[in-house]
Every structure is written in C-alpha cells, then in structure tokens.
Amino acid sequence: MRKEETHIVSSFDEELTRLNNIISQMGGLAESQLISAIRAISKRDSELAEQVIVSDLRIDKLEQEVQDFAVRVLALRQPMADDLRQVVTALKLSNDLERIGDLAKNIAKRAQVLNQIPPIRPVQVIPNMARLAQEIIKDVLDAYIENDAEKAQRVWARDQEVDDMYNSLFRELLTYMMEDPRNITASTHLLFIAKNIERIGDHATNIAETIYYRIKGEDLPVDGRPKNDAANFAVIEPNEAED
C-alpha cells in the first residue's frame, strides 16, 4: 500500500472512531437522563426533573453533530460495504438515542406534575420498570462498543420483559382508577410515564437490530412475535415530543 493510500485509510479510521465516540457519549447521556428522571419521581425532586429537561439539549446537539459529520464522511469518502454500514449505523443510532432522550425529558415533565399531588401506591412499580429499560440500554451500548452481534440479539429478546411489566402496570392502574376516581389524575400521568419507558425499550430494540445488521450484514432473525401491548385497547399513545 502506498503512503498516500495508508494516510487515507488511517484518516477514515479516525473518522469512524470519532463517530463511535460521539454515539457512546450520546448513549451515556441518554442512560443518565432516564436514571435521573426516574429518581425525580421516586424522590419527588422537581429540581432534578428540571435539570433533566434542560440537559436534553446536549443530546440534541450531539445528534446534530453525528448527522453533520456522517454526511460529510459519506460525501468525501463514499464508503462501501462494511464501511458504509458503520456510517449508516451511526446515523440510525443517533436518531434512536435522541428519541430516548426525548422520552426521558417527557418523564421528567410528568414527574414535575406528579410531585405536586399526593403519591399513589403503583408509583413504586415505575422504578423497577425503568431499571430494566436502563439495563437494556447499557447492554445494547456494550454490544455496540464490543461489536457483539450475539449480545445485541439477547438485548432484543429482553424487550418482551419491558412489555410484560407495562401491561401488568396498565391493568393495575386501570383498576386503581375504577376503585377511586380521585386516583385518576395521578394514575393517568403514571400511565404516560410507563408508556414512555416502554417506548424507550422499543428504541433500544431498534438499536440492537441496527447493530446486528452492521456486524452481520443481514437482518436480525426474528420470530415475528406480536407486541402484546394492553395499550392497544386504549388511547394511551404519548407523543415522543410532548413539548
């Protein structure tokens, strides 16, 4: 390989490394945002919730940085095959991570409202559900960093656990609201928070599928299992941008 070619390859590798580093930073922030949003609910800490809302801008800026840099790499390098998949993966992951950040922000907004009204018992289930989603985010980011397709596939399968917890909480909250109308306001906010967490799990699943494709060059084999989502029978579909 000539000296000029070696320099080009080395420069392209450095650009891919930069993209990977930005994605890792975004992932860490998204995970941290979810943890803080849930803590704001558990501790009834509206100041912490406000910090989550304000900090979402950092994830937005990183997503834009990934978009701009990836487009530049595509235009100047015109990568092919595996190199192209790596750049496209960064683009897709940045979008999913930005959505996770938005959902964490939405949870923080709901926390500010919940903190102004008396707590109800089902709120204790939310941290457990969020902890599972956070573990999935962490594992899928590890799969990305380690280039581990099998780990990505295992993460994909765990999303069903989040769905099951959501469906169970959904039924519990409906019962709670029917038993006492005074619980309707708090329960409704908890339903939206739970749905946001369930959507975070969905985005982590998207990330797992994207990672698998980047590594294997083929779609992740799925069993076609339907989403057994109790919310399909009710109007509980929060907008991911509730601004």
Side-chain angles (χ1 to χ4, degrees):
M1 184 179 292
R2 296 196 306 269
K3 182 177 180 180
E4 294 83 0
E5 293 175 333
T6 302
H7 174 73
I8 292 173
V9 171
S10 175
S11 180
F12 182 60
D13 287 343
E14 291 172 359
E15 290 169 343
L16 291 179
T17 297
R18 179 181 171 186
L19 275 176
N20 290 340
N21 288 341
I22 300 173
I23 292 297
S24 296
Q25 187 178 357
M26 281 190 74
L29 284 173
E31 184 181 352
S32 175
Q33 286 281 87
L34 174 59
I35 293 171
S36 295
I38 299 304
R39 184 176 296 130
I41 296 172
S42 300
K43 303 295 184 181
R44 298 179 67 83
D45 188 338
S46 294
E47 183 176 337
L48 178 58
E50 183 62 27
Q51 291 175 14
V52 172
I53 294 168
V54 172
S55 296
D56 180 62
L57 184 60
R58 295 168 61 195
I59 298 179
D60 294 342
K61 288 181 177 179
L62 286 173
E63 184 203 19
Q64 189 60 55
E65 185 177 347
V66 170
Q67 301 283 327
D68 293 344
F69 192 67
V71 168
R72 176 177 176 274
V73 170
L74 289 171
L76 296 180
R77 302 296 185 186
Q78 298 182 359
M80 299 178 66
D82 182 63
D83 290 337
L84 177 60
R85 287 202 302 272
Q86 290 193 60
V87 178
V88 172
T89 292
L91 282 168
K92 296 181 72 172
L93 263 62
S94 69
N95 182 264
D96 278 307
L97 290 169
E98 190 275 336
R99 294 290 182 269
I100 289 174
D102 282 345
L103 290 162
K105 179 179 69 174
N106 293 345
I107 291 171
K109 289 180 178 180
R110 298 277 177 182
Q112 289 180 320
V113 179
L114 276 175
N115 293 346
Q116 305 305 313
I117 57 182
I120 60 175
R121 182 172 51 80
V123 74
Q124 300 168 1
V125 180
I126 293 293
N128 294 332
M129 186 177 175
R131 191 176 302 112
L132 177 57
Q134 182 258 324
E135 289 174 0
I136 291 174
I137 294 172
K138 179 182 182 302
D139 288 346
V140 82
L141 291 172
D142 287 344
Y144 175 72
I145 294 169
E146 298 165 9
N147 225 34
D148 190 333
E150 285 68 32
K151 178 176 284 189
Q153 189 168 7
R154 290 195 298 271
V155 170
W156 178 88
R158 291 194 68 191
D159 181 54
Q160 184 63 51
E161 299 176 45
V162 180
D163 295 343
D164 291 343
M165 291 187 73
Y166 171 71
N167 292 336
S168 176
L169 179 60
F170 182 88
R171 288 188 290 269
E172 181 180 0
L173 286 170
L174 284 184
T175 301
Y176 221 65
M177 287 187 281
M178 288 187 290
E179 288 176 349
D180 188 344
R182 291 174 297 181
N183 294 325
I184 290 177
T185 298
S187 295
T188 299
H189 285 295
L190 287 178
L191 278 174
F192 277 103
I193 287 171
K195 186 61 180 177
N196 281 322
I197 297 172
E198 189 265 346
R199 289 293 297 139
I200 286 173
D202 288 344
H203 283 292
T205 296
N206 292 345
I207 292 173
E209 292 172 356
T210 302
I211 292 170
Y212 188 93
Y213 180 78
R214 186 197 74 176
I215 299 169
K216 298 289 190 177
E218 59 186 28
D219 291 336
L220 190 154
V222 299
D223 57 11
R225 64 175 173 84
K227 293 278 286 183
N228 184 22
D229 191 341
N232 288 334
F233 302 99
V235 185
I236 304 292
E237 289 295 332
N239 189 325
E240 290 188 7
E242 293 181 351
D243 297 334

